[in-house]
Structures are given as structure tokens and as C-alpha cells.
Amino acid sequence: MVAEQGGPEDQKPQSDEARSAFVPPEGVGKSAAPSDDDHPTSEFAIPAGLTPEPPGAGSASGSVPGSGSGSDTIGSAFAPPRTHGVKQSPPAFTPAHGIPMVQLTKEAPWQDRMRTMLRMPVAERPAPEPVQRPDEAGPAVPRVLDLTLRIGELLLAGGEGAEDVEAAMFAVTRSYGLDRCEPTVTFTLLSISHQPSLVDDPVTASRTVRRRGTDYTRLAAVFRLVDDITTEDVEVSLEEAYRRLAEIRRNRHPYPGWVLTLAGGGLAGAASVLVGGNALVFVVAAAGAMLGDRLAWLFAGRGMPEFYQFVVAAMPPAAIGVALTLTHSTDIRPSAVITGGLFALLPGRALVAGVQDGLTGYYITAAARLLEVMYFFIAIVTGVLLVLYLGVQLGAQLNPEARFVAHDRPVVQILASMALCFAFAILLQQERSTVLAVTLNGGVAWVIYGAMARTAGISPVAATAVAAGLVGLFGQLFSRYRYTSSLPFITAAIGPLLPGSATYFGLLGVAQNELDRGLASLSTAVATALAIAIGVNLGSEISRLFMRVPGAVGGANRRAAKRTRGF
């Protein structure tokens, strides 16, 4: 033994590696209190000298584990400290009245219910109530996600807003019993993620939208499919949903190509009459627009990008207007012919969708849509400027002061605006049952605009915003009545409000080296376009204020995202 061979002074000091850091030094009795540095303790241990209360005393949930007495009682981590009394105790984590359960009203349309779900925090969303009965093994997650992506692809390719696409995708997944699904929509990419549980790996799928086409008949069919999937009285299995989706994809457009060409000519002719033209101007403007449409179809068949299609489509109406100026014709107003051709090309649909996505918080998609609108507008400017510059070099006397005066023809203008909306609806491939409604909606919008801008003398931009707001309001009400998308009732109705004349005079000023006048007119055109888009969105949101909110039991309402105020 080491202790028998000598005292401590005869022993060689041991190295730090030979003994544990927690072993007391030799010569120190076992009764001595250990040093705090060598004996770390828990910060939750009861200080020495403090006797804990027995488990039976006080609140049972507030018992604290003993340290010095060897108590094995484990207390709650949420219990208030012992020093607090009942009156001074901190508030509980769960209110005394409990947490209200969120239950959405089923009387509201599925668009509003799903939009409410999307705007809720994830922790507050109610558990899904499967509308469609899954198989005994549960819902087939990969197939449900694939079906959801295919439906979202058709909606996004048809021009639907990003929030409405996410709402439709969310409705499909919840109807088939998938909880904790998060859809994401950008301009060209759709993705959806499903979290089976907190311990299972998530399942994520994505799909790319590579081609877009304007067909509101197909868009309405997809909305009917989603409405049937979310309805308890209609049983739609996954196989049935895939079959109906395949039929929607295979269905031909409701109108042939020659009808679309005639509709484009009718749109341009009605727009030329709307800005002061006569019957002969109607025919000439329609001929120029149809020629431009055929050239665009030719370029599309050769695989040319849409930018060049818009360039060639804008050139024939401008060329006809310049030719009429060179012939010194007094019966035909060249400016009305060129303006009518521009009406048929302005991308009002993409502009409204882009601004709507920006106002609802989808900034990436909004930026991409607005960039697309900018490219289309540049293409139109390029085509018209090339022809106007050539006409100026040839000596064409294009008069930028020839503003349109049509105060004495209100009935003709109303009829022309309705004809423009009718032709625009045909170009958008709308269902025949919606053409009359959108035509009336556009006529009402033009009456409001004319009464404010021309009779009351209010700013044309403000009058355009108010008229577009009524278009959005009535379009939203029509869509709720028909349980379908609001785009077929809105897009064509804003046709008479598009800034065709301001765009033409701006381009003419640039072509004649009058940049101040041209840029001022172009800025007016941009302001009018933004007023249309914002007015349509505001009218749609106002309509929801008067509808039954698909809120929850306990007072939870439909909430939008709360933005920061500069910080």
C-alpha cells in the first residue's frame, strides 16, 4: 500500500493524467465539502440548507425535484415558482376558456375557404375532413400530388392568379385527406410538399409550366372539376379525376382559327369606332388587324418567339394608317385605324394578372408577369415605330393634335364598347354562356367611364380606375354565382378601357422627335394600365367584404398577410 511506505511528503506528485480531475487530493477527509470548481452542480438544484416541501403540500403540479434530500419527485416544467401566490402567479400558457377550434363554414365557395386556409398560420389550420373517400390503405400520396400539380398547371397556363392556383391545389389535397401540404406557385414552376408526420420524411413534387395558352373554356372546366372534388355530394375518385382531366386536355378549342381572326378584326374595328371612326374606318381597321393576325400565326407556325409575333402583328395597322395619310384621304381618320389595331394587341390580361399577384404578395410571379408585359409592349412599340418612322421619312403628315372627339355619339360608343367586349370574349375562347354577361359588364364599365371622364370632367385615369373597380366587383359576383373563375367575366370587360389612343400618340411623338409630348402620353398610358389592374383587384376584394366570410367558430376571420411598416 502507498500509505504504509511513507507520508505524503515522501511521495512523488502524480501527473494530471494519472488521476481524475474529480478525485479529492490526498490528505483531505471525506467529510470536507467539495470545491465548486471540482464538483459542478446543476443550476436547477435546490441550494443547500433549503428544505423542499413534501409532495403533498401545495400544488401537485408544482412540485420541484429535490436535490439535497434525495427526493425523486419530478415536477412540471410549466409550474409557477413556489414564491408566487395564486393571485400573483404568471398567466397560464393555455387560456382558461381554452383555444377556439377553427371550423370553416361550408356554405362559402371553395375558393374563399381555401384562401382563408392559406392565410392562416400552419399551427391554426384545422385538420382536413376528407370529402372523397380514400382506399382502405389510405390516400395514394404520389398520385394525389401528381393530380394536384396537373390541375395547377392548367390553371396557371390559362392565366389564373398565383393565389387562386394555390387555393385550388390546396383544395384538391385536403379533399383527398392529405394534411400538412404546402403548395408553391411561381411563374413557371409549381411545387407541393406533403409532411406525413413529424417523424416521417416529407414528400415533394414539382412541375414546370412550359407553354401557355388562352382558353377560358378549358379554365372553366378545370374549375368545375375542382368544385366537384371539393363537394361532398359528388364522388370523384382519383381515376375519375384523371379521366376528366385528360378529357379537358384533349378537348379542342370552342372556336376555329378563322373565327378568331374575324374576332380580332371586329375588336380592332369596334375600337376604332370607339375613338371616333366611322363605318369605313371600321372596315379598314378590321382588315389591318386580320392581316396582322395572320402574319402572327405564320410566325408562330415557324416557331418564332412571341416577341416577334407581336412586332409583325403591329405593323399592318400602322402601315395602313400611314398609307391613308399619304393618299390624303379625308373620309378615313388614320389615327383611328392605328389605334384600333393597337387595342387588339395590348396585353391587358397579363397586366391584370401581374398586378393582382403583386397586390396579394406573390412578388416573384408578379415581377415575371410584368416583365412579360413589358416585352410585349416593347414589341408593339417596335413594330409601330418602324412603320411610323418610315412614314415620316416618306412625308406622311401624321398630326399628333388630332385628338378624338366623340362627345355627341354616346349611343354609338356604348354599342361599340359592347361589340369590342364581345369580340374580345371570342378571342379568349370563352364559353358561350359567359359571353353575354361579360359583354354587359363591359358596356356598364364604359358608361361609368364616359359619365365620369367626359360628362363630369374627372381625370381619365381616375375614371378608368372606378370603371375597372366595377368590372372587378361584378366579375367576382358573377363567378361566385357560377362557381367558376372570375377571369372570363373580367378580362374581356376591360377591353374598352385599355389605353390604345394614349399609346399611339406617345409613339407618334417619339417618331416625330417630340420626346416630351411622346413620353408624357406614354406615361399616361402606363398610369391608365395600372389604374385598370388596381381597380379590378380592388373591386374583387371589395366584393368579398360583403360576402359571408368563411371564418371559424370563435371569431377567427379571413386574414391577409400583415406587412411591416418600414422596419
Side-chain angles (χ1 to χ4, degrees), residues 48-75:
L50 181 61
T51 304
E53 296 182 7
S59 175
S61 63
S63 57
V64 183
S67 177
S69 62
S71 175
D72 295 331
T73 304
I74 301 177

Side-chain angles (χ1 to χ4, degrees), residues 200-463:
D200 294 331
D201 295 333
V203 181
T204 303
S206 61
R207 196 172 184 89
T208 303
V209 180
R210 302 188 182 278
R211 185 178 180 181
R212 291 175 177 82
T214 304
D215 189 343
Y216 282 178
T217 299
R218 178 181 295 176
L219 190 69
V222 176
F223 264 81
R224 282 193 295 268
L225 174 60
V226 178
D227 185 65
D228 291 341
I229 291 176
T230 56
T231 303
E232 295 181 352
D233 300 335
V234 181
E235 182 177 355
V236 182
S237 62
L238 284 175
E239 290 74 14
E240 177 67 15
Y242 269 105
R243 185 191 64 81
R244 291 179 58 177
L245 196 63
E247 289 182 356
I248 293 173
R249 285 180 174 274
R250 288 195 302 264
N251 280 349
R252 297 178 60 87
H253 298 303
Y255 308 105
W258 64 271
V259 174
L260 298 181
T261 301
L262 290 178
L267 191 155
S272 65
V273 174
L274 196 65
V275 295
N278 52 22
L280 186 57
V281 171
F282 179 95
V283 174
V284 175
M290 288 189 290
L291 180 57
D293 181 75
R294 287 294 91 190
L295 288 176
W297 276 102
L298 178 62
F299 272 54
R302 299 294 181 179
M304 298 294 291
E306 285 185 300
F307 180 87
Y308 302 105
Q309 297 176 29
F310 272 80
V311 171
V312 299
M315 295 178 73
I320 292 178
V322 170
L324 292 175
T325 304
L326 292 174
T327 58
H328 303 285
S329 176
T330 58
D331 297 332
I332 302 178
R333 184 177 295 177
S335 57
V337 174
I338 300 177
T339 302
L342 292 178
F343 264 90
L345 297 175
L346 293 177
R349 175 182 59 87
L351 175 67
V352 171
V355 175
Q356 180 181 0
D357 288 340
L359 295 176
T360 52
Y362 295 84
Y363 299 114
I364 297 177
T365 307
R369 289 186 189 272
L370 293 178
L371 184 63
E372 181 187 39
V373 171
M374 185 188 72
Y375 271 103
F376 290 162
F377 189 77
I378 292 176
I380 297 172
V381 168
T382 302
V384 175
L385 275 182
L386 287 175
V387 177
L388 291 182
Y389 182 77
L390 180 62
V392 171
Q393 298 302 316
L394 294 177
Q397 299 296 325
L398 297 170
N399 186 12
E401 300 295 336
R403 301 291 176 175
F404 307 119
V405 180
H407 296 277
D408 56 341
R409 303 191 309 169
V411 177
V412 174
Q413 284 192 316
I414 294 174
L415 294 177
S417 66
M418 296 178 67
L420 190 153
C421 295
F422 178 83
F424 203 173
I426 300 299
L427 283 176
L428 295 174
Q429 303 277 2
Q430 292 190 197
E431 292 181 309
R432 293 177 174 85
S433 59
T434 64
V435 173
L436 178 60
V438 72
T439 301
L440 295 176
N441 197 10
V444 171
W446 182 256
V447 169
I448 298 299
Y449 170 79
M452 294 181 64
R454 299 188 175 180
T455 303
I458 301 176
S459 170
V461 176

Side-chain angles (χ1 to χ4, degrees), residues 24-225:
E26 295 182 4
V28 179
K30 297 182 178 180
S31 60
S35 174
D36 292 340
D37 297 336
D38 294 338
H39 190 182
T41 59
S42 172
E43 59 180 325
F44 300 103
I46 299 177
L50 181 61
T51 304
E53 296 182 7
S59 175
S61 63
S63 57
V64 183
S67 177
S69 62
S71 175
D72 295 331
T73 304
I74 301 177
S76 173
F78 302 97
R82 289 292 183 182
T83 56
H84 285 226
V86 177
K87 295 183 179 180
Q88 291 81 20
S89 60
F93 287 88
T94 302
H97 53 79
I99 298 177
M101 182 177 62
V102 179
Q103 292 179 347
L104 299 180
T105 58
K106 297 183 179 181
E107 291 79 7
W110 65 265
Q111 297 99 316
D112 289 340
R113 288 188 281 116
M114 293 303 108
R115 188 179 289 106
T116 303
M117 293 288 296
L118 288 174
R119 295 181 178 182
M120 282 184 181
V122 178
E124 298 181 10
R125 292 176 182 173
E129 299 178 3
V131 177
Q132 304 299 330
R133 291 177 296 179
D135 298 335
E136 296 180 357
V141 175
R143 297 195 67 194
V144 173
L145 296 184
D146 179 71
L147 175 66
T148 303
L149 289 174
R150 292 176 183 272
I151 290 176
E153 179 189 9
L154 286 180
L155 293 177
L156 187 62
E160 194 63 64
E163 187 179 31
D164 292 329
V165 175
E166 283 195 2
M169 296 172 65
F170 205 70
V172 174
T173 55
R174 291 184 65 87
S175 298
Y176 285 107
L178 295 187
D179 193 10
R180 294 181 295 273
C181 287
E182 287 294 335
T184 303
V185 176
T186 58
F187 186 58
T188 57
L189 180 66
L190 299 99
S191 63
I192 187 168
S193 178
H194 169 61
Q195 182 75 35
S197 66
L198 296 178
V199 296
D200 294 331
D201 295 333
V203 181
T204 303
S206 61
R207 196 172 184 89
T208 303
V209 180
R210 302 188 182 278
R211 185 178 180 181
R212 291 175 177 82
T214 304
D215 189 343
Y216 282 178
T217 299
R218 178 181 295 176
L219 190 69
V222 176
F223 264 81
R224 282 193 295 268
L225 174 60

